[in-house]
Amino acid sequence: MAKVIISCAVTGSAHVPSMSGALPVTPEEIASQAIEAAEAGAAILHLHARVPEDGRPTGDPDVYARFLPVIKQRTDAVVNITTGGAVTMSVQERLAAARRFAPELCSLNMGSINFSFFPAAARIKSWKHGWEKDYVEGSDDFIFKNTFRDIAYILEAMSDAGTRFEHECYDVGHLYNLAHFLDRGLVKPGFFVQMVFGILGGIGAELDNLMFMKQTCDRLFGKDSFQWSVLAAGRHQMPFVTQAALMGGHVRVGLEDSLFIERGVLAASNAQQVEKIKRILAEMGHEPATPDEARHILGLKGGDRVEF
């Protein structure tokens, strides 16, 4: 069977420190958990940055500079820098780190959506930092903005760097947006689709939707013109990525997507989630791809051509 790429999304921007003590916040914590996830079997590390003092999401390249070199020195994993950042950032802020560091891979949200997580506020009994409550409760008014102009700007800004993209598709319309950029020549065959399920504002986490998204990809792009992966939020994480692997896709786990390791039990680390999906893959007869195998599968430029 083909190798399965395990991606690990280490910290994200939606979860706040009050939700879990395991969520990495400081550059040292992000580096440590990323390295442990790679050692556990993650071929790709999807990275956001946070203000070290309070965990607030930040796009500041100087904060990224405190953990990216450490990760590169300690692991051969592919580094995937977000261009999604947080819904509170401008597109220029979201792109700043990618432009400075020219990673092998960047995430790219393929459209604008309501991006909400305010129901989580009811489950938090005390808040560690003053910004968190307003941020979580206020997400009922958040729109993640990526217009066609924004997407074209990101694609064109990174074209000379040789960076490829993880095209994050939160709904079926995002697949049609991706097809539009394929027609325009700004995206080339061999691209990487990351299907996202269970975000409030995006497509729901039902297995019928997974089948429909994959069928839509096959119809729009042709089965041999793309690689695909799945992530799902919260309790849907492991069932969905397991189903994706059964269907021939790649998988993503990590504390950005779910803070739990099983029902009602908070994960101790990102590596614990990587180890769990690696065991599940092994039971199905799948082998996790190494970082170099992931580079080959996705047509990446190599870790020697990044700027960190």
Side-chain angles (χ1 to χ4, degrees):
M1 289 186 176
K3 297 292 185 75
V4 177
I5 298 170
I6 301 175
S7 294
C8 182
V10 174
T11 189
S13 62
H15 292 138
V16 299
S18 294
M19 295 176 179
S20 171
L23 185 71
V25 168
T26 67
E28 295 76 16
E29 290 167 348
I30 291 169
S32 176
Q33 288 218 33
I35 292 162
E36 289 172 2
E39 291 172 345
I44 297 174
L45 301 170
H46 174 63
L47 300 172
H48 290 240
R50 292 177 179 266
V51 176
E53 291 74 21
D54 64 7
R56 189 188 307 264
T58 180
D60 185 354
D62 288 341
V63 179
Y64 281 89
R66 293 173 59 182
F67 59 78
L68 289 178
V70 179
I71 293 169
K72 190 173 189 299
Q73 290 163 8
R74 297 277 303 278
T75 175
D76 190 38
V78 175
V79 167
N80 174 358
I81 295 178
T82 180
T83 70
V87 295
T88 53
M89 300 176 192
S90 69
V91 65
Q92 291 81 11
E93 290 174 305
R94 294 189 276 113
L95 188 55
R99 296 191 79 163
R100 177 164 159 183
F101 299 112
E104 295 182 76
L105 195 63
C106 280
S107 65
L108 175 56
N109 292 15
M110 293 308 299
S112 303
I113 61 166
N114 292 334
F115 193 104
S116 298
F117 39 91
F118 61 91
R123 299 191 290 271
I124 300 175
K125 295 182 173 60
S126 62
W127 302 89
K128 291 183 179 180
H129 304 289
W131 66 274
E132 295 178 303
K133 189 172 189 289
D134 287 344
Y135 180 73
V136 176
E137 291 183 344
S139 70
D140 63 348
D141 198 36
F142 283 173
I143 294 175
F144 182 89
K145 174 183 171 289
N146 247 18
T147 63
F148 286 101
R149 183 180 297 177
D150 292 334
I151 295 169
Y153 168 70
I154 294 170
L155 290 169
E156 290 167 349
M158 299 305 298
S159 61
D160 291 341
T163 298
R164 303 208 72 180
F165 291 91
E166 170 203 19
H167 296 277
E168 296 197 342
C169 296
Y170 290 75
D171 215 333
V172 67
H174 290 182
L175 298 177
Y176 284 86
N177 294 351
L178 178 54
H180 166 81
F181 286 102
L182 185 65
D183 290 342
R184 284 172 60 177
L186 290 175
V187 174
K188 307 294 184 184
F191 51 89
F192 185 31
V193 181
Q194 184 73 257
M195 303 178 198
V196 184
F197 298 87
I199 299 295
L200 185 57
I203 197 166
E206 285 84 35
L207 290 177
D208 285 349
N209 288 339
L210 172 55
M211 298 293 291
F212 181 62
M213 290 280 278
K214 177 57 168 60
Q215 290 165 358
T216 302
C217 283
D218 293 343
R219 184 175 66 255
L220 288 175
F221 311 130
K223 292 184 178 181
D224 298 326
S225 65
F226 66 98
Q227 295 290 327
W228 65 285
S229 177
V230 163
L231 72 91
R235 68 183 185 277
H236 306 291
Q237 182 188 65
M238 289 297 169
F240 254 72
V241 298
T242 300
Q243 184 63 36
L246 286 168
M247 294 169 59
H250 305 292
V251 301
R252 179 174 126 174
V253 295
L255 297 182
E256 173 175 350
D257 303 335
S258 174
L259 295 172
F260 292 84
I261 191 63
E262 59 185 67
R263 184 185 295 272
V265 179
L266 288 169
S269 66
N270 281 278
Q272 188 182 26
Q273 291 185 351
V274 174
E275 289 163 353
K276 180 171 182 176
I277 191 58
K278 186 178 176 180
R279 289 195 302 272
I280 292 170
L281 292 173
E283 290 293 332
M284 297 190 295
H286 291 295
E287 289 186 40
T290 67
D292 281 343
E293 287 168 339
R295 290 181 174 98
H296 176 74
I297 292 167
L298 300 178
L300 303 181
K301 64 182 180 178
D304 59 335
R305 294 181 57 200
V306 300
E307 299 296 330
F308 59 91

